[in-house]
Amino acid sequence: MRSPIILAVLLVGCGGVNSSGTDGGADGDADADTDTDSDTDTDTDSDSDSDTDSDADSDSDADTDTDSDGDSDTDADGDADPCDTCDVHASCIDDECVCDDGWVGSGSDCRDFNECLQDNGGCDPNARCDNRPGSRDCTCEPGWFGDGLACQPIWTTVYSDPGLTLGDWSSVVGHRGRVYFARHGADRYFKSFDVQALAIRDEGLMAADEDDFCACGSFGQLVAAPEVLFYFANYAHAYDTVDQAWFSVSYPAGRQRGEAGAAFAAGAVYLVGGRGDPDPIATVEAYDLDDTWSDQPAFPVGVWMPTAAEVGGIVYVTGGTLADNSPSATFASLEPGAAEWTVLPDAPFADWGVMAVGYRDQLWVLVSSRLLWIYDPFAGGWLGQQVDVPLGNRWSPAVAGGALYLVGETADELTIVQYTGP
């Protein structure tokens, strides 16, 4: 009877302590101990292998994910990414940080580069360079136009003569390919400028006893018709530009006036307002090329020294001086043959010294020799952008050969400039 008991003890001794740390002999069940040892050993090995594989796979996968996700901290080998240190104003090129255009530095630290310090930033010599973060702006200086990289003058001097001045009073008009200008007063003269040859020619003066350029009475303006020039003031004259000779035209006493606005349209010279009785007057007269006169609809207000010009066959009038000596902003147009003037919104300026010409199918009005305002009849309003004129004084506009010119004085010498702007 001792043998079975010894066997049982031996089996228990072989079982020892199971892998889970449980004493196989604690519950005294030999079969249970055997099952536990077998199952536990098997599970432990299986779990251990599984854990080992899983850990290995996890390590391998982590490395792979780092590369595929472009991790900024490490690459596949665990090294730091060189692009991680690039400045926000830099680009990573071949694993090297390079500052973007307009910025300088190591690539890891980029700072703005002032392009304006070198060659005016690439701007035109007649442009202003303004530095911007990573860039610069080019703006053409006053008197010039363009994109800033290339600037062109708005006005180009085509003639100057230190031996001539315009004095306090002058008359200017364009006719065909010439600009005609006259100085009034003791040192009066009458000359023309050939816009192609860029040369001055002396023109003839009126008869000594009928010389309206004497500035001894009412001031007048030169007006261009297709074949001749007209001048209405103390007397009425026409000038043959081919023969360079003046001749008288009819000027009845009831029609005479000085300092009126004058424009040629539909075969007639329109005289608007001026000095008269009462002073100023609002009446309008038309001188036809057949040497006859006719009454026209009165201007909305009495005014002297207004400016008048023809655009698209219509006469436009503005500016001048009212009866109370205040400047006029009244702006109106007259279509030849119409029964009355069309009163337009007041001009954006009120000034005594205004002179207008028709140019590019628009009305260009020079105000006090400082600024050109432009009225577009087709748009029905004044353009928002004005044109600055060169420094100087006594500028008067004229259109000749399809171009716009100003005749005036700079540094006390006669100067003629051509508009070369947009």
Side-chain angles (χ1 to χ4, degrees):
M1 293 297 291
R2 296 179 60 185
S3 296
I5 295 174
I6 295 173
L7 177 60
V9 172
L10 289 174
L11 288 173
V12 172
C14 290
V17 179
N18 65 26
S19 60
S20 63
T22 302
D23 185 350
D27 55 10
D29 189 342
D31 291 340
D33 290 341
T34 303
D35 291 340
T36 299
D37 290 341
S38 173
D39 292 341
T40 301
D41 290 341
T42 302
D43 291 341
T44 300
D45 293 341
S46 174
D47 291 342
S48 176
D49 292 341
S50 175
D51 290 341
T52 302
D53 293 341
S54 175
D55 291 342
D57 291 342
S58 176
D59 292 342
S60 174
D61 290 344
D63 291 341
T64 302
D65 290 343
T66 300
D67 293 340
S68 63
D69 292 341
D71 191 286
S72 62
D73 296 326
T74 59
D75 57 16
D77 298 325
D79 297 329
D81 189 340
C83 296
D84 188 39
T85 61
C86 291
D87 188 272
V88 293
H89 298 295
S91 301
C92 191
I93 303 174
D94 296 332
D95 291 337
E96 182 179 355
C97 297
V98 179
C99 292
D100 297 333
D101 291 342
W103 301 84
V104 294
S106 63
S108 298
D109 180 18
C110 299
R111 61 187 182 280
D112 176 51
F113 170 68
N114 188 348
E115 296 89 346
C116 298
L117 298 179
Q118 295 182 359
D119 298 325
N120 199 31
C123 302
D124 189 272
N126 296 294
R128 184 184 71 252
C129 181
D130 295 311
N131 187 53
R132 297 286 184 264
S135 183
R136 53 88 179 97
D137 290 337
C138 298
T139 307
C140 293
E141 295 285 3
W144 299 78
F145 75 99
D147 60 5
L149 298 177
C151 300
Q152 300 178 31
I154 295 177
W155 298 96
T156 300
T157 301
V158 293
Y159 183 83
S160 62
D161 188 337
L164 290 175
T165 58
L166 286 175
D168 293 331
W169 298 97
S170 61
S171 297
V172 178
V173 71
H175 185 249
R176 296 176 175 171
R178 289 182 173 274
V179 175
Y180 291 81
F181 55 98
R183 172 177 170 143
H184 298 232
D187 297 324
R188 60 189 178 274
Y189 61 72
F190 185 38
K191 300 177 183 290
S192 68
F193 172 72
D194 187 322
V195 300
Q196 294 297 324
L198 305 181
I200 294 291
R201 182 180 77 181
D202 288 330
E203 305 290 342
L205 287 170
M206 303 171 192
D209 59 344
E210 295 185 354
D211 192 349
D212 272 340
F213 295 151
C214 68
C216 55
S218 293
F219 175 76
Q221 294 182 2
L222 289 166
V223 183
E227 302 298 330
V228 298
L229 304 180
F230 287 99
Y231 188 88
F232 295 96
N234 295 330
Y235 306 94
H237 297 90
Y239 185 73
D240 188 320
T241 58
V242 176
D243 295 338
Q244 294 182 261
W246 289 93
F247 58 93
S248 296
V249 298
S250 66
Y251 201 26
R255 309 285 187 182
Q256 295 175 6
R257 68 188 62 206
E259 301 175 10
F264 184 85
V269 177
Y270 287 77
L271 300 181
V272 182
R275 295 284 193 181
D277 186 18
D279 191 15
I281 56 179
T283 57
V284 179
E285 314 281 354
Y287 173 80
D288 196 273
L289 294 182
D290 64 3
D291 202 32
T292 60
W293 289 84
S294 61
D295 294 330
Q296 299 297 317
F299 192 65
V301 296
V303 62
W304 56 276
M305 285 296 288
T307 186
E310 176 270 336
V311 179
I314 297 177
V315 177
Y316 292 87
V317 176
T318 190
T321 305
L322 300 172
D324 61 0
N325 288 323
S326 64
S328 173
T330 300
F331 183 39
S333 65
L334 178 67
E335 183 175 357
E340 61 183 9
W341 288 77
T342 298
V343 179
L344 303 168
D346 281 356
F349 49 82
D351 204 287
W352 299 278
V354 294
M355 288 174 277
V357 292
Y359 178 58
R360 295 180 175 176
D361 295 324
Q362 298 169 320
L363 183 72
W364 290 52
V365 184
L366 178 64
V367 180
S368 296
S369 289
R370 296 190 307 269
L371 201 65
L372 275 164
W373 286 81
I374 304 172
Y375 177 80
D376 188 336
F378 301 100
W382 297 88
L383 302 187
Q385 183 68 40
Q386 294 80 53
V387 179
D388 291 321
V389 302
L391 294 176
N393 54 35
R394 301 189 179 93
W395 292 116
S396 296
V399 176
L404 174 64
Y405 295 87
L406 295 179
V407 181
E409 292 181 5
T410 57
D412 295 325
E413 67 180 43
L414 177 75
T415 303
I416 301 176
V417 296
Q418 178 184 352
Y419 180 72
T420 51

